[in-house]
Short mmCIF file of all heavy atoms in Angstrom, two decimals:
data_model
loop_
_atom_site.label_atom_id
_atom_site.label_comp_id
_atom_site.label_asym_id
_atom_site.label_seq_id
_atom_site.Cartn_x
_atom_site.Cartn_y
_atom_site.Cartn_z
N HIS A 1 3.08 2.97 -11.84
CA HIS A 1 2.38 1.77 -12.32
C HIS A 1 3.04 1.22 -13.58
O HIS A 1 2.88 0.03 -13.88
CB HIS A 1 0.90 2.06 -12.57
CG HIS A 1 0.64 3.06 -13.66
ND1 HIS A 1 1.09 4.36 -13.62
CD2 HIS A 1 -0.02 2.93 -14.84
CE1 HIS A 1 0.71 4.99 -14.71
NE2 HIS A 1 0.03 4.14 -15.47
N THR A 2 3.79 2.06 -14.29
CA THR A 2 4.47 1.59 -15.50
C THR A 2 5.79 0.91 -15.19
O THR A 2 6.40 0.32 -16.10
CB THR A 2 4.75 2.76 -16.46
OG1 THR A 2 5.72 3.65 -15.88
CG2 THR A 2 3.47 3.54 -16.75
N GLN A 3 6.23 0.96 -13.94
CA GLN A 3 7.55 0.44 -13.56
C GLN A 3 7.48 -0.85 -12.74
O GLN A 3 8.51 -1.40 -12.35
CB GLN A 3 8.32 1.51 -12.77
CG GLN A 3 8.46 2.84 -13.49
CD GLN A 3 9.19 2.71 -14.81
OE1 GLN A 3 10.27 2.15 -14.88
NE2 GLN A 3 8.59 3.24 -15.88
N VAL A 4 6.28 -1.32 -12.44
CA VAL A 4 6.13 -2.53 -11.63
C VAL A 4 6.66 -3.74 -12.40
O VAL A 4 6.42 -3.90 -13.60
CB VAL A 4 4.64 -2.75 -11.27
CG1 VAL A 4 4.43 -4.11 -10.61
CG2 VAL A 4 4.16 -1.63 -10.34
N THR A 5 7.40 -4.61 -11.70
CA THR A 5 7.90 -5.86 -12.27
C THR A 5 7.59 -7.00 -11.31
O THR A 5 7.09 -6.79 -10.20
CB THR A 5 9.42 -5.81 -12.50
OG1 THR A 5 10.09 -5.83 -11.23
CG2 THR A 5 9.83 -4.56 -13.28
N GLU A 6 7.94 -8.20 -11.72
CA GLU A 6 7.76 -9.36 -10.85
C GLU A 6 8.61 -9.26 -9.59
O GLU A 6 8.31 -9.91 -8.58
CB GLU A 6 8.12 -10.64 -11.60
CG GLU A 6 7.18 -11.01 -12.74
CD GLU A 6 7.47 -10.27 -14.03
OE1 GLU A 6 8.38 -9.41 -14.05
OE2 GLU A 6 6.79 -10.56 -15.05
N ALA A 7 9.65 -8.42 -9.60
CA ALA A 7 10.54 -8.26 -8.45
C ALA A 7 10.10 -7.16 -7.49
O ALA A 7 10.76 -6.92 -6.47
CB ALA A 7 11.96 -7.98 -8.93
N THR A 8 8.99 -6.49 -7.80
CA THR A 8 8.47 -5.46 -6.89
C THR A 8 8.02 -6.12 -5.58
O THR A 8 7.35 -7.15 -5.62
CB THR A 8 7.30 -4.71 -7.55
OG1 THR A 8 7.77 -4.09 -8.75
CG2 THR A 8 6.71 -3.67 -6.62
N PRO A 9 8.37 -5.55 -4.43
CA PRO A 9 7.99 -6.17 -3.15
C PRO A 9 6.47 -6.21 -2.94
O PRO A 9 5.73 -5.40 -3.53
CB PRO A 9 8.66 -5.26 -2.11
CG PRO A 9 9.74 -4.55 -2.84
CD PRO A 9 9.23 -4.38 -4.24
N PRO A 10 6.00 -7.14 -2.10
CA PRO A 10 4.58 -7.18 -1.74
C PRO A 10 4.11 -5.82 -1.25
O PRO A 10 4.86 -5.09 -0.59
CB PRO A 10 4.53 -8.23 -0.63
CG PRO A 10 5.72 -9.10 -0.90
CD PRO A 10 6.78 -8.19 -1.43
N THR A 11 2.85 -5.50 -1.54
CA THR A 11 2.37 -4.14 -1.32
C THR A 11 0.98 -4.11 -0.72
O THR A 11 0.06 -4.75 -1.24
CB THR A 11 2.37 -3.35 -2.65
OG1 THR A 11 3.69 -3.38 -3.22
CG2 THR A 11 1.97 -1.91 -2.42
N PHE A 12 0.84 -3.35 0.36
CA PHE A 12 -0.46 -3.07 0.98
C PHE A 12 -0.87 -1.66 0.56
O PHE A 12 -0.07 -0.73 0.64
CB PHE A 12 -0.34 -3.16 2.50
CG PHE A 12 -1.59 -2.82 3.26
CD1 PHE A 12 -2.48 -3.82 3.63
CD2 PHE A 12 -1.89 -1.51 3.61
CE1 PHE A 12 -3.64 -3.52 4.32
CE2 PHE A 12 -3.05 -1.19 4.30
CZ PHE A 12 -3.93 -2.20 4.67
N VAL A 13 -2.12 -1.50 0.12
CA VAL A 13 -2.61 -0.20 -0.35
C VAL A 13 -3.94 0.11 0.31
O VAL A 13 -4.82 -0.76 0.37
CB VAL A 13 -2.79 -0.19 -1.88
CG1 VAL A 13 -3.23 1.20 -2.37
CG2 VAL A 13 -1.50 -0.62 -2.59
N TRP A 14 -4.08 1.34 0.78
CA TRP A 14 -5.42 1.77 1.22
C TRP A 14 -5.65 3.23 0.80
O TRP A 14 -4.73 4.02 0.69
CB TRP A 14 -5.64 1.58 2.71
CG TRP A 14 -5.06 2.63 3.62
CD1 TRP A 14 -3.81 2.65 4.16
CD2 TRP A 14 -5.74 3.80 4.14
NE1 TRP A 14 -3.65 3.75 4.96
CE2 TRP A 14 -4.82 4.47 4.97
CE3 TRP A 14 -7.01 4.34 3.98
CZ2 TRP A 14 -5.14 5.66 5.63
CZ3 TRP A 14 -7.33 5.52 4.63
CH2 TRP A 14 -6.40 6.17 5.45
N THR A 15 -6.91 3.55 0.57
CA THR A 15 -7.31 4.90 0.20
C THR A 15 -8.80 5.05 0.46
O THR A 15 -9.43 4.15 1.05
CB THR A 15 -6.96 5.18 -1.28
OG1 THR A 15 -7.24 6.54 -1.58
CG2 THR A 15 -7.73 4.27 -2.22
N THR A 16 -9.37 6.17 0.06
CA THR A 16 -10.80 6.40 0.23
C THR A 16 -11.42 6.79 -1.11
O THR A 16 -10.80 7.50 -1.91
CB THR A 16 -11.09 7.50 1.27
OG1 THR A 16 -10.43 8.71 0.86
CG2 THR A 16 -10.61 7.09 2.64
N ALA A 17 -12.65 6.35 -1.33
CA ALA A 17 -13.31 6.62 -2.61
C ALA A 17 -13.61 8.10 -2.79
O ALA A 17 -13.74 8.57 -3.93
CB ALA A 17 -14.61 5.80 -2.69
N GLU A 18 -13.74 8.84 -1.71
CA GLU A 18 -14.06 10.27 -1.79
C GLU A 18 -12.81 11.15 -1.86
O GLU A 18 -12.92 12.38 -1.77
CB GLU A 18 -14.91 10.68 -0.59
CG GLU A 18 -16.31 10.09 -0.61
CD GLU A 18 -17.19 10.56 0.53
OE1 GLU A 18 -16.65 11.11 1.53
OE2 GLU A 18 -18.42 10.39 0.43
N ASP A 19 -11.65 10.55 -2.04
CA ASP A 19 -10.41 11.32 -2.16
C ASP A 19 -10.37 12.01 -3.52
O ASP A 19 -10.14 11.37 -4.55
CB ASP A 19 -9.20 10.40 -1.99
CG ASP A 19 -7.88 11.15 -1.91
OD1 ASP A 19 -7.82 12.32 -2.35
OD2 ASP A 19 -6.90 10.57 -1.39
N THR A 20 -10.61 13.32 -3.53
CA THR A 20 -10.56 14.08 -4.78
C THR A 20 -9.20 14.73 -5.00
O THR A 20 -8.91 15.20 -6.10
CB THR A 20 -11.65 15.17 -4.80
OG1 THR A 20 -11.47 16.03 -3.65
CG2 THR A 20 -13.04 14.54 -4.75
N SER A 21 -8.36 14.76 -3.98
CA SER A 21 -7.02 15.33 -4.13
C SER A 21 -6.08 14.37 -4.84
O SER A 21 -5.30 14.76 -5.71
CB SER A 21 -6.45 15.69 -2.75
OG SER A 21 -7.23 16.67 -2.11
N VAL A 22 -6.14 13.09 -4.44
CA VAL A 22 -5.35 12.03 -5.07
C VAL A 22 -6.31 10.89 -5.40
O VAL A 22 -6.41 9.91 -4.67
CB VAL A 22 -4.22 11.56 -4.13
CG1 VAL A 22 -3.36 10.49 -4.80
CG2 VAL A 22 -3.33 12.74 -3.72
N PRO A 23 -7.07 11.03 -6.49
CA PRO A 23 -8.17 10.10 -6.76
C PRO A 23 -7.69 8.66 -6.95
O PRO A 23 -6.70 8.42 -7.67
CB PRO A 23 -8.77 10.65 -8.06
CG PRO A 23 -8.32 12.07 -8.14
CD PRO A 23 -6.98 12.10 -7.50
N PRO A 24 -8.35 7.70 -6.33
CA PRO A 24 -7.95 6.29 -6.49
C PRO A 24 -7.92 5.83 -7.93
O PRO A 24 -7.05 5.04 -8.32
CB PRO A 24 -9.02 5.54 -5.70
CG PRO A 24 -9.57 6.52 -4.73
CD PRO A 24 -9.48 7.85 -5.41
N ALA A 25 -8.85 6.31 -8.76
CA ALA A 25 -8.92 5.84 -10.15
C ALA A 25 -7.67 6.19 -10.95
O ALA A 25 -7.34 5.51 -11.93
CB ALA A 25 -10.15 6.42 -10.83
N LYS A 26 -6.96 7.24 -10.54
CA LYS A 26 -5.77 7.68 -11.27
C LYS A 26 -4.48 7.33 -10.52
O LYS A 26 -3.39 7.66 -11.01
CB LYS A 26 -5.84 9.18 -11.52
CG LYS A 26 -7.02 9.60 -12.39
CD LYS A 26 -7.09 11.11 -12.53
CE LYS A 26 -8.30 11.51 -13.38
NZ LYS A 26 -8.41 13.00 -13.50
N ASN A 27 -4.61 6.69 -9.37
CA ASN A 27 -3.43 6.43 -8.55
C ASN A 27 -3.40 5.00 -8.01
O ASN A 27 -2.73 4.14 -8.57
CB ASN A 27 -3.36 7.46 -7.41
CG ASN A 27 -3.10 8.86 -7.92
OD1 ASN A 27 -1.98 9.20 -8.28
ND2 ASN A 27 -4.12 9.71 -7.94
N ALA A 28 -4.12 4.73 -6.96
CA ALA A 28 -4.07 3.41 -6.33
C ALA A 28 -4.49 2.30 -7.28
O ALA A 28 -3.84 1.24 -7.34
CB ALA A 28 -4.94 3.40 -5.07
N LEU A 29 -5.56 2.51 -8.02
CA LEU A 29 -6.08 1.43 -8.86
C LEU A 29 -5.13 1.06 -10.01
O LEU A 29 -4.92 -0.14 -10.25
CB LEU A 29 -7.47 1.79 -9.37
CG LEU A 29 -8.58 1.76 -8.31
CD1 LEU A 29 -9.91 2.19 -8.91
CD2 LEU A 29 -8.69 0.38 -7.68
N PRO A 30 -4.55 2.01 -10.75
CA PRO A 30 -3.58 1.61 -11.77
C PRO A 30 -2.38 0.85 -11.17
O PRO A 30 -1.88 -0.09 -11.80
CB PRO A 30 -3.15 2.94 -12.38
CG PRO A 30 -4.27 3.87 -12.12
CD PRO A 30 -4.83 3.46 -10.80
N TYR A 31 -1.95 1.25 -9.99
CA TYR A 31 -0.80 0.58 -9.39
C TYR A 31 -1.15 -0.86 -8.99
O TYR A 31 -0.40 -1.80 -9.27
CB TYR A 31 -0.31 1.36 -8.17
CG TYR A 31 1.06 0.90 -7.70
CD1 TYR A 31 2.21 1.32 -8.35
CD2 TYR A 31 1.19 0.04 -6.62
CE1 TYR A 31 3.47 0.89 -7.94
CE2 TYR A 31 2.44 -0.39 -6.19
CZ TYR A 31 3.58 0.04 -6.86
OH TYR A 31 4.82 -0.40 -6.45
N VAL A 32 -2.29 -1.04 -8.35
CA VAL A 32 -2.70 -2.39 -7.94
C VAL A 32 -2.95 -3.27 -9.16
O VAL A 32 -2.61 -4.46 -9.15
CB VAL A 32 -3.94 -2.31 -7.03
CG1 VAL A 32 -4.56 -3.68 -6.84
CG2 VAL A 32 -3.58 -1.71 -5.69
N THR A 33 -3.51 -2.70 -10.21
CA THR A 33 -3.70 -3.47 -11.44
C THR A 33 -2.36 -3.96 -11.99
O THR A 33 -2.23 -5.13 -12.41
CB THR A 33 -4.40 -2.61 -12.50
OG1 THR A 33 -5.69 -2.22 -12.01
CG2 THR A 33 -4.57 -3.38 -13.81
N ALA A 34 -1.34 -3.10 -11.94
CA ALA A 34 -0.01 -3.50 -12.40
C ALA A 34 0.57 -4.60 -11.52
O ALA A 34 1.19 -5.54 -12.02
CB ALA A 34 0.91 -2.29 -12.43
#
């Protein structure tokens, strides 16, 4: 999420709210915010 730029390709993301192994709050959400 710290490396995203305007040149990053379009991105589709999916996950589940109950994912405790790779929690969305620490993974998918920071990336989509970037």
Side-chain angles (χ1 to χ4, degrees):
H1 64 299
T2 68
Q3 305 300 309
V4 171
T5 70
E6 292 83 357
T8 299
T11 304
F12 177 93
V13 183
W14 80 272
T15 185
T16 57
E18 291 183 344
D19 188 340
T20 57
S21 297
V22 182
K26 298 176 181 178
N27 293 284
L29 289 178
Y31 193 79
V32 168
T33 299

